[in-house]
């Protein structure tokens, strides 16, 4: 088994697909960091360019407040009612952050962007895993290998495990790019922020969960390729599912169906539990319409994703074990 | 599939009652039906039959690539596929075309297979040398010609130093030089003491290198044995031109020869044919199997029939195959004319001359 796994890893590494996923993950990381850079730059430029405007606005607001207070005093004298209130205290100068927006904290940036990028890393892993196995069927080398190693179960296990391991480089490259790139942007624009020790621990766990789910996505892709034997079909089914089914399921909001949505369960896994809000179907004419808050635990995500993986693995293994091979 | 019974120790491959059906949109198609195959250890064994006769399916079942519906299979006495892992290192096989990763070099393709079976990587260079690809190890598989791909596939089978080599249609698509080369390689491997099981639908080609053969049609064995045994039981075929062919057939049959009147229409009942004999029939052409020309001449001469033409010819496997498959509806090369029995019994195929192999000494 170890020998077979080594062979599969050597074969995968020799193929371009692993390196292409690494490059793609790097590109995803750099694009995300560049997004952070653009956000920070726009805030920075706004601050620099509009400083003068801001000073003028401060003077204007102070003038308005004084004028308000004068009018208020005049009215009190005219009516003899000292309780007249024009609300002049409410005229206050907005802060710079209120005017030009504010960069989220470094910790928030990390959590949002790591979580968001994890879907892309998973997609890359799924594509790599399915391609690695489907190529064997396309080139009909699976049968050749089985004439050397006729034990189908160890062969299946090696071919599922190898893409899972081979997906580690690209997810590491992607995560490293984000973890180093985002604080670099903060330093570049002299945004004073830092991540506390506890936050680092939490982020470390999150990164570990992303690595794990990426590996599982690669294994899932490989197992699915054993089932349908075509990487295009695996990716097509996955994309089709996300577009057609997941939109509907996720659109079901907080009902039982909504909690089954794959993307929400992935989020629950990656973020160690997730929350979202849905709106009630109808609000009465005089009711205040408030969103309903829903929660999905990490355990729920883990169980649903584990079940999905187990089912696909089992089906892939059964098909491979029983089918005729060229 | 039932567990195997005791197998013949002297056999490289045996199958009993092997059956395989495929499901199609129109129902099921029987690919192999009750195949009883015996491949003796040592030498080249031709596994012959037309396209679609079940050769590749049988090989795939032997190699565990396709599960059988019923029947038993043994390789070197070991039941397969149940215990295939025990003997797989003694078996090297190429099923249909060579299959490798096109973008990998020959060395890398073989290196991965060597690693999978725990063979030292140094063996890769040796087997490449062995098949004449020593200088081409760095070339990618897709850059190889068909003949080179086939040689690479043979090299792959040699990584295990196998006792049994199974080649499925190894010369398909090769030019004459490539065919000769592969043929020579197979013969050499057999001469080294290995068993080479080669399937082919080109019977004349296998006839040149095979020691023993099995001929199959529609998924069952029609005949098997040594090549010499199958080709007229060691004798040849003699084409005889004689003025009164009907009488000549009768005389020769009475003398114990197998004689056929080639001029009779296809499928004619032999007894009726003899009853309707025209003693003055001209243009009579007979085929006499398993007799020497001088004996034919003597027997006919004694009865006052003078031979006008006497052409000894050797029956080939193709002719044997055609005889065996006559009436089976199997495809046959159009260039060959089937012969028809002009005497008693049915006009279909004669029984196989040899049922059990064992002709290693013939070569």
């Amino acid at each position: 088994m170890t020998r077979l796994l080594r062979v599969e890893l050597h074969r995968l590494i020799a193929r371009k697909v692993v390196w292409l996923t690494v490059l793609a993950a790097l590109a995803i990381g750099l694009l995300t960091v560049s997004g952070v850079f653009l956000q920070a730059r726009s805030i920075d430029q706004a601050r620099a360019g509009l400083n003068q405007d801001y000073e003028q606005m401060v003077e204007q607001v102070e003038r308005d407040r004084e004028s308000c207070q004068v009018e208020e005093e005049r009215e009190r004298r005219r009516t003899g009612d000292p309780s007249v209130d024009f609300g002049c205290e409410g005229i206050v100068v907005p802060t710079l952050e209120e005017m030009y927006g504010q960069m989220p904290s470094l910790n928030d940036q990390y959590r949002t962007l790591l979580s968001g990028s994890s879907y892309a890393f998973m997609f890359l892993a799924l594509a790599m895993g399915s391609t690695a196995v489907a190529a064997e069927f396309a080139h009909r080398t699976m049968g050749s290998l089985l004439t050397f190693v006729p034990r189908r179960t160890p062969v299946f296990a090696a071919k599922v495990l190898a893409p899972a391991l081979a997906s580690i480089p690209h997810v590491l490259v992607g995560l490293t790019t984000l973890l180093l790139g985002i604080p670099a942007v903060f330093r570049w624009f002299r945004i004073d922020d830092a991540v506390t020790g506890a936050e680092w621990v939490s982020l470390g766990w999150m990164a570990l969960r992303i690595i794990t789910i990426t590996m599982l996505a690669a294994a899932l892709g490989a197992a699915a390729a054993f089932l349908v034997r075509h990487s295009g079909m695996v990716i097509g089914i996955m994309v089709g599912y996300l577009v057609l089914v997941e939109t509907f399921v996720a659109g079901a909001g907080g009902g039982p169906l909504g909690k089954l949505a794959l993307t929400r369960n992935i989020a629950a896994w990656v973020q160690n539990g997730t929350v979202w809000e849905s709106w009630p179907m109808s609000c009465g004419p005089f009711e205040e319409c408030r969103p309903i808050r829903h929660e999905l635990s990490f355990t729920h995500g883990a169980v649903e994703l584990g079940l999905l993986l187990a089912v696909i693995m089992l089906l892939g293994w059964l098909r491979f074990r029983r089918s005729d091979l060229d | 599939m039932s567990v195997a019974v005791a197998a013949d120790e002297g056999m490289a491959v045996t199958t009993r009652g092997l059956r395989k059906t495929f499901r199609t949109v129109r129902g099921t198609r029987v690919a192999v039906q009750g195949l009883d195959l015996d491949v003796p250890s040592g030498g080249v064994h031709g596994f012959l039959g037309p396209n679609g006769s079940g050769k590749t399916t049988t090989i795939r079942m032997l190699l565990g690539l396709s599960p059988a519906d019923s029947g038993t299979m043994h390789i070197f006495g070991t039941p397969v596929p149940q215990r295939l892992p025990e003997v797989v290192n003694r078996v090297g096989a190429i099923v249909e075309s060579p299959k490798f990763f096109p973008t990998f070099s020959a060395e890398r393709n073989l290196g991965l297979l060597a690693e999978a079976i725990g063979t030292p990587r140094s063996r890769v260079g040796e087997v490449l040398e062995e098949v004449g690809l020593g200088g081409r190890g760095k070339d990618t598989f897709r850059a190889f010609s068909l003949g080179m791909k086939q040689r690479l596939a043979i090299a792959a089978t040699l990584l295990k130093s196998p006792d049994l080599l199974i080649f499925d249609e190894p010369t398909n698509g090769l030019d004459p030089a490539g065919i000769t080369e592969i043929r020579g390689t197979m013969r050499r491997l057999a001469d080294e003491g290995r068993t080479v099981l080669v399937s082919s639908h080109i019977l004349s080609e296998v006839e040149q290198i095979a020691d023993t053969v099995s001929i199959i049609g529609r998924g069952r064995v029609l005949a098997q044995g040594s090549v010499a045994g199958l080709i007229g039981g060691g004798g040849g075929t003699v084409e005889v031109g004689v003025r009164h062919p009907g009488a000549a057939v009768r005389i020769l049959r009475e003398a114990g020869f197998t004689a056929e009147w080639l001029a009779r229409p296809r499928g004619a009942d032999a007894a009726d044919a003899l009853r309707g004999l025209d003693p003055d029939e001209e243009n009579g052409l007979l085929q006499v199997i398993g007799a020497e020309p001088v004996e034919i001449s003597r027997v006919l001469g004694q009865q006052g029939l003078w031979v006008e033409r006497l052409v000894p010819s050797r029956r080939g496997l193709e002719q044997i195959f055609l005889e065996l498959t006559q009436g089976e509806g199997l495809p046959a090369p159009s260039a060959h004319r089937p012969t028809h029995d002009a005497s008693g019994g049915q006009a279909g195929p004669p029984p196989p001359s040899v049922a059990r192999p064992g002709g290693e000494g013939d070569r």
Side-chain angles (χ1 to χ4, degrees):
Chain A
M1 177 62 197
T2 314
R3 191 163 66 201
L4 276 176
L5 182 60
R6 208 168 48 230
V7 171
E8 285 307 317
L9 281 172
H10 282 162
R11 191 177 66 76
L12 272 177
I13 290 164
R15 295 189 67 217
K16 291 188 183 82
V17 66
V18 174
W19 305 111
L20 286 176
T21 54
V22 169
L23 286 176
L26 181 65
I28 289 164
L30 290 175
L31 277 172
T32 309
V33 171
S34 68
V36 176
F37 179 87
L38 291 175
Q39 182 189 14
R41 190 179 64 177
S42 66
I43 291 170
D44 192 59
Q45 282 176 343
R47 281 187 182 195
L50 295 178
N51 249 359
Q52 201 177 348
D53 294 346
Y54 180 72
E55 284 166 13
Q56 288 171 359
M57 179 189 269
V58 170
E59 288 169 12
Q60 181 64 43
V61 167
E62 283 170 357
R63 273 200 302 273
D64 289 347
R65 192 169 54 219
E66 283 169 13
S67 165
C68 175
Q69 286 165 343
V70 168
E71 289 298 321
E72 187 184 59
E73 189 56 37
R74 188 178 297 152
E75 186 64 14
R76 283 175 183 168
R77 275 201 299 270
R78 191 179 66 78
T79 59
D81 180 5
S83 65
V84 170
D85 184 3
F86 280 12
C88 300
E89 284 73 25
I91 301 173
V92 291
V93 182
T95 62
L96 265 173
E97 284 72 21
E98 282 168 344
M99 276 189 71
Y100 311 127
Q102 188 180 11
M103 278 295 279
S105 73
L106 186 55
N107 182 49
D108 285 348
Q109 283 278 24
Y110 271 145
R111 299 194 75 81
T112 308
L113 297 176
L114 288 182
S115 176
S117 316
S118 66
Y119 292 97
F121 301 148
M122 283 168 59
F123 179 78
L124 288 176
L126 182 96
M128 184 190 63
S130 63
T131 307
V133 171
E136 296 239 38
F137 288 109
H139 298 308
R140 300 165 76 189
T141 52
M142 192 71 85
S144 290
L145 177 65
L146 288 175
T147 64
F148 283 78
V149 189
R151 293 182 174 93
R152 290 197 187 191
T153 301
V155 167
F156 176 84
K159 287 188 182 296
V160 165
L161 206 53
L165 293 174
S167 67
I168 293 175
H170 87 248
V171 69
L172 281 182
V173 165
L175 289 177
T176 307
T177 309
L178 292 176
L179 288 170
L180 297 179
I182 295 168
V185 172
F186 272 64
R187 273 197 295 277
W188 180 269
F189 289 103
R190 297 191 185 87
I191 302 167
D192 191 20
D193 199 0
V195 177
T196 65
E199 286 170 343
W200 271 123
V201 170
S202 173
L203 284 170
W205 282 112
M206 187 184 219
L208 200 62
R209 288 194 297 272
I210 290 172
I211 293 169
T212 314
I213 202 168
T214 305
M215 290 173 72
L216 294 180
L220 184 82
F226 273 105
L227 199 57
V228 297
R229 300 192 174 178
H230 200 288
S231 59
M233 204 179 281
V234 173
I235 294 166
I237 289 170
M238 182 53 72
V239 172
Y241 169 80
L242 288 174
V243 171
L244 298 175
V245 182
E246 195 74 1
T247 312
F248 170 73
V249 172
L257 220 53
K259 292 199 172 185
L260 292 176
L262 192 59
T263 41
R264 289 218 176 98
N265 282 278
I266 291 171
W269 168 278
V270 170
Q271 298 163 12
N272 194 21
T274 187
V275 290
W276 75 97
E277 291 176 341
S278 67
W279 292 90
M281 293 300 283
S282 62
C283 297
F286 304 108
E287 290 176 51
E288 190 183 359
C289 227
R290 286 186 177 177
I292 307 162
R293 184 185 160 90
H294 307 281
E295 289 184 14
L296 202 58
S297 68
F298 168 81
T299 312
H300 189 286
V303 169
E304 178 167 317
L305 296 176
L307 277 175
L308 174 72
L309 184 70
V311 168
I312 300 292
M313 285 272 204
L314 182 68
L315 292 177
W317 174 71
L318 283 176
R319 169 131 206 244
F320 180 58
R321 195 161 169 267
R322 292 184 178 180
S323 61
D324 289 352
L325 288 170
D326 290 331
Chain B
M1 195 171 141
S2 62
V3 177
V5 294
D8 190 339
E9 287 293 319
M11 291 291 164
V13 175
T14 54
T15 71
R16 291 291 175 267
L18 196 62
R19 185 179 166 84
K20 174 76 180 179
T21 53
F22 290 107
R23 273 177 298 190
T24 65
V25 285
R26 291 179 182 173
T28 57
R29 183 176 65 80
V30 180
V32 176
Q33 45 180 336
L35 189 82
D36 296 335
L37 178 69
D38 291 301
V39 179
S41 290
V44 177
H45 185 91
F47 189 36
L48 312 176
N51 289 330
S53 58
K55 302 185 300 293
T56 301
T57 303
T58 303
I59 288 173
R60 289 172 61 211
M61 285 192 284
L62 277 169
L63 297 168
L65 298 177
S66 180
D69 295 340
S70 60
T72 59
M73 298 178 281
H74 288 82
I75 293 179
F76 295 119
T78 304
V80 293
Q82 298 93 328
R83 289 164 57 193
L84 183 59
E86 292 175 27
V87 284
V88 75
N89 281 343
R90 296 179 69 189
V91 184
I94 308 171
V95 186
E96 296 178 298
S97 54
K99 294 149 194 161
F100 294 100
F101 281 100
T103 53
F104 286 8
S105 69
E107 276 180 3
R108 189 184 290 279
N109 269 306
L110 294 195
L112 290 171
L113 288 174
E115 197 177 345
I117 56 170
T119 299
R121 287 241 172 190
S122 57
R123 180 88 185 114
V124 170
E126 290 169 20
V127 294
L128 285 173
E129 286 288 344
E130 215 169 317
V131 297
L133 291 175
R136 308 295 299 270
K138 304 281 183 209
D139 293 0
T140 56
F141 178 69
R142 68 176 165 202
F144 278 9
S145 68
L146 200 55
M148 289 164 74
K149 287 177 178 173
Q150 201 62 262
R151 278 190 280 161
L152 184 66
I154 293 175
T157 65
L158 296 177
L159 283 171
K160 300 192 258 192
S161 301
D163 297 317
L164 169 65
L165 288 142
I166 300 174
F167 297 138
D168 183 23
E169 306 276 7
T171 55
N172 263 5
L174 295 186
D175 59 19
I179 291 171
T180 307
E181 196 179 320
I182 296 297
R183 204 187 285 154
T185 304
M186 288 192 288
R187 189 62 247 170
R188 181 173 55 77
L189 292 167
D191 291 342
E192 288 171 2
R194 305 174 206 264
T195 305
V196 178
L197 171 62
V198 53
S199 85
S200 180
H201 65 279
I202 307 169
L203 289 78
S204 56
E205 177 194 305
V206 174
E207 189 180 331
Q208 295 178 50
I209 54 163
D211 303 298
T212 53
V213 292
S214 299
I215 299 176
I216 71 165
R218 294 202 170 186
R220 53 195 172 79
V221 172
L222 301 174
Q224 59 186 343
S226 68
V227 174
L230 276 171
I231 299 174
T237 302
V238 181
E239 207 170 81
V240 181
V242 65
R243 186 167 288 273
H244 302 291
V249 166
R250 192 181 63 243
I251 291 163
L252 287 167
R253 288 185 170 250
E254 284 169 2
F257 297 118
T258 304
E260 298 160 353
W261 186 3
L262 296 179
R264 297 309 301 174
R266 177 183 293 233
D269 179 78
D272 288 346
L274 285 173
R275 264 198 297 280
L277 274 181
D278 177 359
D280 294 324
E281 175 82 53
E282 298 216 2
N283 193 25
L285 198 60
L286 315 180
Q287 189 180 57
V288 186
I289 298 165
E292 293 302 319
V294 66
E295 294 172 36
I296 296 165
S297 181
R298 182 178 55 79
V299 168
L300 292 178
Q302 282 171 351
Q303 299 298 319
L305 287 176
W306 305 109
V307 173
E308 294 176 345
R309 179 185 155 136
L310 201 61
V311 183
S313 67
R314 185 171 170 269
R315 287 199 309 167
L317 277 176
E318 276 181 0
Q319 197 174 345
I320 300 286
F321 176 78
L322 291 170
E323 289 168 9
L324 289 170
T325 57
Q326 197 175 21
E328 293 270 334
L330 293 168
S334 56
H336 296 272
R337 180 183 58 175
T339 57
H340 301 279
D341 195 343
S343 64
Q346 60 183 31
S353 55
V354 180
R356 303 293 299 172
E360 292 93 331
D362 292 327
R363 190 160 187 96

